[in-house]
Amino acid sequence: MCTTDQMADCRLMRERLLLSLESSCDESAVALVRGGREVLAERVASQTAIHAQFGGVIPEVAARAHHEWLPRLLHEVLQEAEEFGIAGEIEGLALTTGPGLVGSLLVGAGVGSAWAWAKGLPVLPVNHLEGHLRAAWLHDGSAHEAPPLPAIGLVVSGGHTLLVRIEGDGRIERLGGTIDDAAGEAFDKIARLLGVPYPGGAALSALAAQVPSGERVTPLPIAKLEHPYNFSFSGVKTAAIRQALLASGLADESPGRASVITKQLAEHPLPTRAAISIAAATEAAIVGALAGGVQRALQAHPDSSLIVGGGVAANGPLRATLGRIAAHEGRRLFVPPMKWCTDNAAMIGAAGDAILREHRGTFMNPAEGVPVAAQWPIGRPMPL
Ligand code: KG4
Ligand code: ZN
């Protein structure tokens, strides 16, 4: 509590309140974040059920769903801000402007900048991938320590897999990343092969957990790349297809494209035991590849803690393995709670606050038009 004399200072010191909005893929989300850490209100509307019937995200459908959902979510979060009596304290809108699906980003930018313009508030463009890393700073009441910088950051999601170094001043340098599929994409594609519905990662992990203890699983290969921080997951997928064809008795037929094989496997489903075994081998190969890259990065940067974000950071064995590696290297691991691993707007509020605090970006006037970018390498200025 501030005394009367301290009141003016106290108000000045009050931490920044940002509204934030995320719409880069198939989650529509709005949040209210104080000081880049405290989530005061948030809404996430997932479109997973809509896209599951197509086996993947259909960009046009995603954009339409954002168009339907974002205004409602915005209204609900603002209503909460009114109830808390803090709506007038909102300093601006942190908005995901890339990377992602252009149609989805444009709907978010349209809804967000129209609101900001009407309120006379500025907009801060935020990189979605930086949002995933900054999710590790969030808490919802039960305060925890903010991750110390510098740090090694691993972003593992459905669309991206990359390793970065976050400097003490918040600047981000890309160390490496996948040269083909993202880790989440590999989970999803192999899950589909095993008859697990989209998005598959969490369900494949649940399947893998059914391996009887002590049972030996035929391993899937981990690509050994020359670059210490790069990853490749397409070989895991090919090897999983081979194992699946073998287990279903289709191995002698000419395999063809993955979509054809998936159809063939749907007609000749794998024995449950084989599906469990392939799921376990898939998870072990992906987790092993990620863990190898992270360990090399930690060893090369002895001053760094470890931060992990993105949908695949919700994976239990990955969290456990990275925890062991961090402990072995004498570092601390920071992973967001499950709900902030997958796409959400709170992480965009956290990143927005950090960008402003660390003077790495500035607010813009929404009346000038807010650009979006399908591709936006992390740590670089947004391509215009
Ligand atoms: O970050 P995110 O919500 O969206 C993107 O930005 O891509 O990540 C979604 C990805 C999907 O590929 C999903 O299968 C994966 O995260 N995922 C998991 C788990 N939970 C979500 N993968 C493995 N294990 C999980 N428990
Ligand atoms: Zn994401």
Side-chain angles (χ1 to χ4, degrees), residues 230-258:
N230 275 353
F231 308 100
S232 167
F233 297 109
S234 64
V236 177
K237 186 184 62 197
T238 309
I241 288 177
R242 225 172 267 136
Q243 278 196 14
L245 288 173
L246 211 62
S248 62
L250 289 166
D252 290 339
E253 295 176 22
S254 59
R257 290 174 48 225

Side-chain angles (χ1 to χ4, degrees), residues 21 23 62-68 70 102-112:
L21 192 152
S23 69
R64 282 169 183 264
H66 287 305
H67 189 255
E68 187 183 336
L70 281 173
V102 167
S104 293
L105 291 166
L106 280 172
V107 174
V111 171

Side-chain angles (χ1 to χ4, degrees), residues 27 128 132 157-159 184 187-188 199 201-202 205 310-312 314-315 341-343:
E27 261 90 27
H128 177 81
H132 274 307
S157 70
F187 267 114
D188 295 345
S205 184
V312 183
N315 182 271
C341 286
T342 45
D343 288 351

Side-chain angles (χ1 to χ4, degrees), residues 250-278:
L250 289 166
D252 290 339
E253 295 176 22
S254 59
R257 290 174 48 225
S259 57
V260 178
I261 297 167
T262 306
K263 196 161 168 275
Q264 285 175 331
L265 285 170
E267 285 155 14
H268 303 84
L270 291 174
T272 309
R273 241 187 121 105
I276 290 172
S277 174
I278 295 171

Side-chain angles (χ1 to χ4, degrees), residues 69-92:
W69 277 102
L70 281 173
R72 296 189 208 178
L73 305 183
L74 185 60
H75 176 72
E76 287 177 17
V77 167
L78 290 169
Q79 219 165 19
E80 278 194 44
E82 291 287 353
E83 282 160 22
F84 298 152
I86 54 172
E89 292 176 32
I90 297 171
E91 281 185 35

Side-chain angles (χ1 to χ4, degrees), residues 296-323:
R296 286 188 286 278
L298 287 178
Q299 286 170 348
H301 300 89
D303 57 351
S304 300
S305 55
L306 176 61
I307 295 168
V308 185
V312 183
N315 182 271
L318 179 65
R319 293 166 90 100
T321 305
L322 294 181

